[in-house]
Amino acid sequence: MILRYTLHATRFMSIDLKTLTIKKAHDALIHGEYSALELSEAYLSEIEKKNAGLNAYLEVFDDAREQAKEADRLIKAGKAVMLTGIPIALKDNILMKGKKVSASSKILQGYVAPYDSTAISKLKAERVVVLGRTNMDEFAMGSSTETSYFGPTRNPYDTSRVPGGSSGGAAAAVGADLALASLGTDTAGSVRQPAAFCGVVGSKPTYGSISRHGIIAMGSSLDIIGPITKTVEDSEILFDAIRGKDVLDSTSIELNTKRSTLNAERFVVGVPRNFLDAKGIDEDVLANFSESVERLQKLGCRVQDITLPTVPHALAAYYVIMPAELSTNLSRFDGVKYGFHKDGESLLGDYVATRTEGFGMEARRRLLLGAYVLSSGYRDAYYRKAISVRAMIEKEFTQAFKSVDIIAIPTTPTPAFKIGEKTKDPLSMYMEDIFTVPANIGAIPAVSIPSGFVERDGKRLPLGFQIMAGYGHDKLLFKLGKKFESK
Amino acid sequence: MITLKEIENLAALARISLTEDEKERMRGEFDAILGYVASIRNVSAASAKNIRSIVATVNVMREDGTPHESGIYTDVLIGAAPRREGNYVKVKKIL
C-alpha cells in the first residue's frame, strides 16, 4: 500500500505544471503519459500547499476527482477532445448546477446554482474538470479582489500585493499553477488587469460572442466571460469551446471567423499616443510598452501613431452606464428570492435590513451612484450623455480600424499595488481600468499578454501588453498574440 | 456639491440604510466621482447624432409556447428562497 502510494505520488509530481499548456496536457493525456486524475491530483496538491497563503479558491469542489475519472473513461474510449480532462477554475459568478455560487458577496450566502451557465454546459460536454470556484471583488466591483466578503486574494509574485480584480482569484490560480486555466468575467478590465498582474494571458472577447446565460450580471451591456490562460493559444482553445449564439441570451452572436487571411507579420498596429500622455502612468510601464511595440516591429508589423480623442473619456462614461445597469441588476437581491435574509419590521424593512447587511461598501456606493444617474433631472445630464459618448467611442474605433488592424496600449497604468493602498480612495481604484475599459465601452475584443517584469521592493512583478481589434475580429488578436509571445 | 439630504434620498431609493459616518464619507466620495464623471459633458455631442451602435439593440421575440413541462423547475427555484410555504415564497404581510 505504502509503495503504491509513493509510486503514485512520484508520478504526478513529475508533471511540470510551470510550463504546462492545454495543448501539451491534451497530448500527454491521449498518449497515456499520465491520466486526467493524476493531472488533477497534481493541481489539487498545489492548491493544498499554496491556497491558504493566496486565498485564490473559495471552494474546491468535492467531485473534482470524480470529474477527472469521467474524463479518463472518455480518454480510454478514444473519444477525448481538446479540453477533456483539463483542470480549470471558475470565477465565483459563473453558475454550475448544484455548486455554491456567491459573487463573493454575503447577500448570496448559501445560494446553490439551480442550472448550468451556457459556458459550463459546453465545457461539461467536453468533460473538462472544474476544480473549484475562485475569489473575486464583490459582484465584480473592483480592481483588486479586496471588496470580496471573503477577504483579499494575494498576488503570487508578491503576497503583500493585490492580484488585480475583479477576477483576482481566477488569475492568481493560473499564475500560481493552481489551475491550468480559468474563466473570469470582464466588464471594464476584470479579466485583463488581473491577468497582467499575475503574469498570465487574459482575453476579453467581442461583446456577445459568449453567452451571458448563467453569469451573475453586473453591467449587462458590458459583461463578457473571458478565458485566463498561460498562453494565447490556450486562450483561443477555451474561447472557441464556449463561444457562439445562444437562444438563452438574446444579445449573443455567432462570430464570423473566416475573415482575414493576412499574416500577422503584415499587420498595421496603431498606437494612440494622446492616450499614453495621461497622468499617473508608471515610467516603467511606458518603457515596457515601448519595448513591446518594438517587438511587433521586429516581427514585421508596421506601427503608426493614431489619435483617439474621445476614447480617453470611456472611463467617465463607464462610471455612469455601469452603476445604472448594476443598480437595476442588483435590485433582485432583496432577501426574498435567494441567499441571505435579515428580518426588519415590515416587508420594506426586510429589504433594507437584508441589503444593508448583505452588500459591502463598494456595492452600496455604486447602488447609490446608479440611483443618482438615473434620477429625474440628472438622467439627461449623465445617463443619456454617457450613452452618446459611448456611441462616439464605438464610431471612433470603427474609423480607426479602417486604417489599422490592431490597436496597442498597456493593460494597466501601474504594476500590482499593495493591499490596502487604494481602498481609501475609490477614484484612484477606478483609474486602474483606464486602458482596459475602452474595449468594453466599444464592444470590441482585447487581449492582455505578459510582456515582462519590473522590480519593486526586490520582487519581480509582471506587466501586460494589450492588443485590441475591431468588432468581431477576435481571431486577429490570437494570430498576432501567438507571434508576440514566441518572440 | 451633493447634500446629505440627497445621499439619504438615494439610499432610500436603493433600499439601503447608512450610518451618519457612512453618509458623510459617501458625500465626499460622490463629489470626487461626479467631478471626474462630469468630463463627459465636455465631449461635443454634435457628432454623436445619428450614430447607431454596432451592438444590435433590437427586441428578440419568440413564439408563445411551452418551453418545458410545467413545474419541473418549481421546487429548485422556490427552494432557493430563504422563506417558503409549500410552493410559495413567503413574505411579511403587505396590507
Side-chain angles (χ1 to χ4, degrees):
Chain A
M1 197 63 204
I2 291 167
L3 182 68
R4 267 186 71 193
Y5 177 77
T6 317
L7 275 174
H8 184 66
T10 323
R11 204 161 165 210
F12 73 68
M13 284 308 289
S14 69
I15 305 174
D16 179 10
L17 300 184
K18 201 86 239 162
T19 58
L20 197 62
T21 65
I22 292 176
K23 192 77 182 295
K24 281 188 204 170
H26 170 73
D27 288 343
L29 288 171
I30 56 169
H31 291 118
E33 288 169 36
Y34 42 78
S35 67
L37 181 60
E38 286 166 326
L39 180 60
S40 283
E41 291 285 2
Y43 282 103
L44 291 169
S45 116
E46 286 300 295
I47 295 170
E48 187 75 30
K49 273 186 271 177
K50 295 188 206 156
N51 195 56
L54 294 175
N55 197 26
Y57 280 88
L58 296 176
E59 180 187 358
V60 175
F61 294 148
D62 55 12
D63 65 347
R65 288 175 181 87
E66 278 311 309
Q67 296 177 50
K69 286 179 195 165
E70 270 296 309
D72 277 329
R73 279 191 275 278
L74 209 64
I75 295 166
K76 264 212 175 107
K79 289 182 185 156
V81 289
M82 186 58 85
L83 291 171
T84 307
I86 300 299
I88 67 159
L90 287 187
K91 186 177 183 179
D92 187 30
N93 62 352
I94 301 173
L95 273 62
M96 182 164 168
K97 191 176 178 177
K99 307 289 185 209
K100 281 185 192 162
V101 60
S102 75
S104 292
S105 177
K106 184 178 181 181
I107 210 156
L108 272 168
Q109 208 168 54
Y111 181 67
V112 174
Y115 59 90
D116 279 327
S117 53
T118 298
I120 279 297
S121 44
K122 289 186 177 201
L123 293 178
K124 275 185 172 176
E126 296 210 7
R127 290 285 186 277
V128 76
V129 177
V130 184
L131 296 173
R133 59 188 172 103
T134 54
N135 201 15
M136 57 185 276
D137 280 295
E138 184 180 10
F139 284 100
M141 291 181 240
S143 306
S144 67
T145 320
E146 290 167 293
T147 69
S148 167
Y149 177 63
F150 305 102
T153 295
R154 291 170 183 277
N155 190 306
Y157 285 86
D158 177 352
T159 51
S160 71
R161 290 176 190 271
V162 302
S166 63
S167 317
V174 179
D177 295 317
L178 307 185
L180 185 45
S182 61
L183 290 185
T185 57
D186 192 311
T187 309
S190 280
V191 161
R192 290 161 288 159
Q193 185 253 16
F197 281 7
C198 294
V200 291
V201 177
S203 286
K204 175 255 176 265
T206 291
Y207 178 75
S209 61
I210 302 171
S211 171
R212 285 183 293 113
H213 175 67
I215 66 171
I216 298 173
M218 179 193 177
S220 304
S221 74
L222 303 154
D223 293 341
I224 179 96
I225 290 178
I228 298 173
T229 55
K230 307 267 271 294
T231 65
V232 175
E233 183 179 44
D234 282 0
S235 193
E236 186 172 17
I237 290 169
L238 259 184
F239 174 62
D240 282 339
I242 58 177
R243 69 184 170 84
K245 180 146 182 68
D246 177 14
V247 289
L248 297 171
D249 173 5
S250 63
T251 61
S252 64
I253 53 161
E254 198 64 60
L255 279 190
N256 175 4
T257 53
K258 284 186 224 142
R259 265 180 273 219
S260 175
T261 51
L262 197 63
N263 286 331
E265 290 83 354
R266 305 272 304 277
F267 283 180
V268 179
V269 178
V271 176
R273 290 285 167 205
N274 66 309
F275 205 2
L276 293 171
D277 293 339
K279 272 184 292 180
I281 302 167
D282 189 279
E283 288 292 319
D284 291 339
V285 167
L286 285 175
N288 179 270
F289 176 72
S290 299
E291 285 167 24
S292 300
V293 170
E294 277 167 32
R295 270 161 80 178
L296 291 183
Q297 280 172 316
K298 280 184 195 143
L299 281 172
C301 294
R302 191 154 62 78
V303 175
Q304 69 181 56
D305 285 1
I306 55 169
T307 310
L308 300 169
T310 318
V311 168
H313 293 284
L315 189 66
Y318 173 77
Y319 270 93
V320 176
I321 295 167
M322 172 274 298
E325 294 185 6
L326 112 93
S327 65
T328 311
N329 278 325
L330 265 53
S331 65
R332 62 172 65 94
F333 300 103
D334 54 6
V336 172
K337 295 187 276 295
Y338 20 59
F340 173 74
H341 173 94
K342 181 151 177 152
D343 255 337
E345 297 201 332
S346 59
L347 181 60
L348 179 62
D350 283 2
Y351 297 163
V352 174
T354 300
R355 289 165 66 84
T356 300
E357 198 171 314
F359 287 129
M361 200 59 192
E362 183 61 24
R364 288 188 270 163
R365 184 180 293 121
R366 294 196 197 189
L367 287 169
L368 261 64
L369 261 179
Y372 182 83
V373 298
L374 291 175
S375 307
S376 82
Y378 297 112
R379 203 170 49 202
D380 285 336
Y382 289 100
Y383 188 68
R384 287 193 206 287
K385 183 74 200 190
I387 292 297
S388 69
V389 170
R390 174 187 205 161
M392 287 173 70
I393 289 171
E394 282 182 7
K395 190 183 168 200
E396 213 163 274
F397 276 130
T398 307
Q399 284 299 116
F401 285 117
K402 283 179 183 161
S403 55
V404 300
D405 301 297
I406 297 285
I407 293 173
I409 194 130
T411 308
T412 61
T414 63
F417 45 92
K418 293 266 188 191
I419 290 173
E421 190 179 321
K422 292 179 194 275
T423 43
K424 292 254 166 0
D425 179 5
L427 195 56
S428 75
M429 187 73 87
Y430 299 170
M431 297 309 267
E432 267 300 307
D433 292 334
I434 186 95
F435 291 140
T436 45
V437 74
N440 301 81
I441 292 292
I444 59 171
V447 178
S448 173
I449 308 168
S451 59
F453 295 86
V454 290
E455 205 177 297
R456 292 286 184 278
D457 308 331
K459 298 257 169 73
R460 268 156 48 93
L461 303 176
L463 292 176
F465 178 58
Q466 186 182 202
I467 49 177
M468 304 187 269
Y471 181 77
H473 288 273
D474 301 60
K475 291 285 170 178
L476 294 187
L477 297 178
F478 296 128
K479 224 177 193 181
L480 184 64
K482 283 184 256 186
K483 294 277 178 193
F484 177 82
E485 68 186 359
S486 67
K487 194 74 189 171
Chain B
M1 278 286 277
I2 195 156
T3 63
L4 267 189
K5 183 73 198 150
E6 282 177 297
I7 292 286
E8 282 164 5
N9 289 343
L10 292 171
L13 280 171
R15 306 286 186 255
I16 272 171
S17 76
L18 295 171
T19 65
E20 292 308 314
D21 280 356
E22 285 169 344
K23 284 180 207 165
E24 253 332 311
R25 188 179 152 194
M26 204 73 98
R27 187 161 81 130
E29 289 165 352
F30 252 63
D31 281 335
I33 296 165
L34 293 176
Y36 175 72
V37 159
S39 86
I40 56 170
R41 295 187 186 178
N42 305 329
V43 179
S44 158
S47 49
K49 292 229 171 77
N50 304 319
I51 299 177
R52 279 201 57 159
S53 173
I54 43 176
V55 178
T57 43
V58 290
N59 282 323
V60 178
M61 314 292 271
R62 70 162 171 80
E63 288 302 311
D64 279 346
T66 320
H68 57 78
E69 196 186 319
S70 176
I72 58 171
Y73 298 117
T74 307
D75 197 56
V76 67
L77 293 176
I78 303 277
R83 308 262 158 100
R84 108 180 243 189
E85 202 171 290
N87 273 348
Y88 294 96
V89 166
K90 197 176 171 185
V91 295
K92 288 205 170 77
K93 209 160 84 178
I94 299 167
L95 293 170

